[in-house]
Amino acid sequence: MKKPIQRVAAIHDLSGFGRVSLAVVIPILSTLGIQVCSLPTAVLSTHTGGFKNFKFIDLTEHMREYIAHWKEIGIDFDCIYSGFLGSAKQIEIISDFIDDFAKEDTLVVVDPVMGDGGKLYPSMNQNMVSEMRKYIKKADLITPNYTEVLFLLDEPINQEVNDDLIKSYIKHLVDMGPKTVIITSVPTKDTKSITSVIAYNRDDGRFWKVKCDYIPVYFPGTGDVFTSVIVGSLLQGDSLPIALDRAVQFITAAIRASYGHKYPQRNGIMLERVLGNLTLPVMISSYELL
Ligand code: PXL
């Protein structure tokens, strides 16, 4: 019999202020009817983008014992979903966790959170980038943004983009292990007003593209929001392009709902104002085959 509730192990930090990571992963997946079991990688007073002197409590040394307890009580997961990591050393711990807990049909999602806008986040470094290159082998699905793709593939930051180049990047990433790759925030040549999300699944060999209106703002945590909607949507049984549509529509609504209010962007999107949209059916679909 189909399980009434799907269960996700969510491996992210808990940032007290700023609407990133577990602070958005939990409400989004819960609203989509998915149970979230948090495996926190670090506890921070705020996220690291735009705040000085944030308190950062690295949980690396506690994770193995935490996982051992989960093993002892015998819980299992339909999905393992990791995001922001507190140290490069955590990659070894999480890889062992995946080896131990992932079954044949467990969806392993890695959001290789490392940077955005052409730069690494302050707590990241080159060692994290090299470990992340190895770690993505474990994933069924990865969701890097365009900046993270360039770091993963060691490509120069400022280069001209076109669909063929993005397709070659995706093929390269798929060769590194994951079956499905979704790249977010792909810039469009010659226009700043549109970005896109481009995805590929090795099983059917099709590329998908969903265009997004570019709104000139930067709210931290939008990648976490995006991937959480993708995870929930796929676990609900949606196809890859419908999951892309749902995530793009949700993030666009969230940014639009937030942008009209005047407040510091580092506070994150006003998730609370749009969370209910997740329970609406997909009304319009705009994905294209690439
Ligand atoms: O996903 C973004 C993110 C998550 N967690 C922390 C961050 C950021 C981005 O700045 O600093 C702690």
Side-chain angles (χ1 to χ4, degrees):
M1 210 173 67
K2 193 175 179 291
K3 288 164 74 178
I5 305 274
Q6 302 265 303
R7 185 185 290 151
V8 176
I11 311 170
H12 303 253
D13 68 281
L14 177 66
S15 286
F17 185 76
R19 298 190 186 93
V20 303
S21 303
L22 289 173
V24 302
V25 172
I26 298 171
I28 289 173
L29 286 171
S30 299
T31 305
L32 289 168
I34 315 283
Q35 179 188 3
V36 179
C37 303
S38 305
L39 170 44
T41 56
V43 175
L44 292 88
S45 50
T46 66
H47 58 70
T48 64
F51 294 98
K52 286 199 195 111
N53 303 326
F54 50 83
K55 173 81 178 151
F56 188 117
I57 304 161
D58 177 0
L59 295 178
T60 310
E61 297 311 318
H62 302 279
M63 288 172 74
R64 284 201 189 271
E65 277 185 88
Y66 192 116
I67 294 166
H69 186 225
W70 277 4
K71 186 87 184 153
E72 193 183 305
I73 62 170
I75 44 176
D76 57 11
F77 301 101
D78 303 290
C79 171
I80 296 172
Y81 162 31
S82 76
F84 181 96
L85 304 180
S87 71
K89 207 176 149 201
Q90 290 182 353
I91 288 184
E92 195 188 311
I93 301 172
I94 308 165
S95 301
D96 289 348
F97 174 72
I98 294 171
D99 290 344
D100 215 8
F101 281 77
K103 295 163 285 158
E104 190 66 41
D105 55 352
T106 304
L107 176 68
V108 178
V109 180
V110 172
D111 185 3
V113 177
M114 293 188 293
D116 205 356
K119 284 195 261 167
L120 290 179
Y121 295 133
S123 64
M124 298 292 156
N125 53 37
Q126 209 46 51
N127 187 27
M128 180 66 95
V129 177
S130 6
E131 289 302 308
M132 198 60 90
R133 283 185 192 130
K134 296 183 220 151
Y135 176 46
I136 61 170
K137 284 189 183 52
K138 296 264 170 210
D140 297 308
L141 162 65
I142 61 169
T143 58
N145 62 35
Y146 180 63
T147 297
E148 288 155 350
V149 169
L150 299 180
F151 277 102
L152 285 171
L153 298 179
D154 202 14
E155 289 286 339
I157 294 297
N158 290 317
Q159 60 175 310
E160 288 263 303
V161 223
N162 59 57
D163 288 347
D164 286 338
L165 185 65
I166 296 293
K167 280 182 169 181
S168 75
Y169 287 166
I170 289 184
K171 282 280 171 71
H172 198 146
L173 289 166
V174 163
D175 287 345
M176 289 162 80
K179 194 175 67 182
T180 306
V181 173
I182 302 175
I183 306 185
T184 60
S185 310
V186 178
T188 309
K189 197 172 168 239
D190 300 331
T191 170
K192 271 197 133 247
S193 63
I194 292 175
T195 65
S196 49
V197 171
I198 298 182
Y200 173 80
N201 176 300
R202 187 173 54 208
D203 284 349
D204 65 11
R206 285 185 289 181
F207 284 91
W208 306 98
K209 178 171 181 168
V210 180
K211 294 199 189 100
C212 335
D213 290 339
Y214 177 76
I215 304 162
V217 278
Y218 173 70
F219 291 106
T222 48
D224 302 328
V225 170
F226 180 88
T227 304
S228 301
V229 178
I230 294 281
V231 166
S233 176
L234 292 175
L235 289 177
Q236 285 184 348
D238 287 329
S239 66
L240 176 61
I242 289 294
L244 298 175
D245 259 331
R246 283 181 84 180
V248 167
Q249 284 174 25
F250 184 72
I251 208 81
T252 307
I255 292 174
R256 285 185 179 279
S258 309
Y259 186 50
H261 292 280
K262 192 118 187 74
Y263 68 99
Q265 288 170 21
R266 67 183 189 178
N267 295 10
I269 54 163
M270 291 189 176
L271 180 68
E272 302 77 7
R273 294 193 78 91
V274 289
L275 205 51
N277 292 10
L278 289 172
T279 57
L280 303 173
V282 188
M283 305 289 265
I284 23 159
S285 177
S286 57
Y287 68 75
E288 353 172 343
L289 258 179
L290 196 62

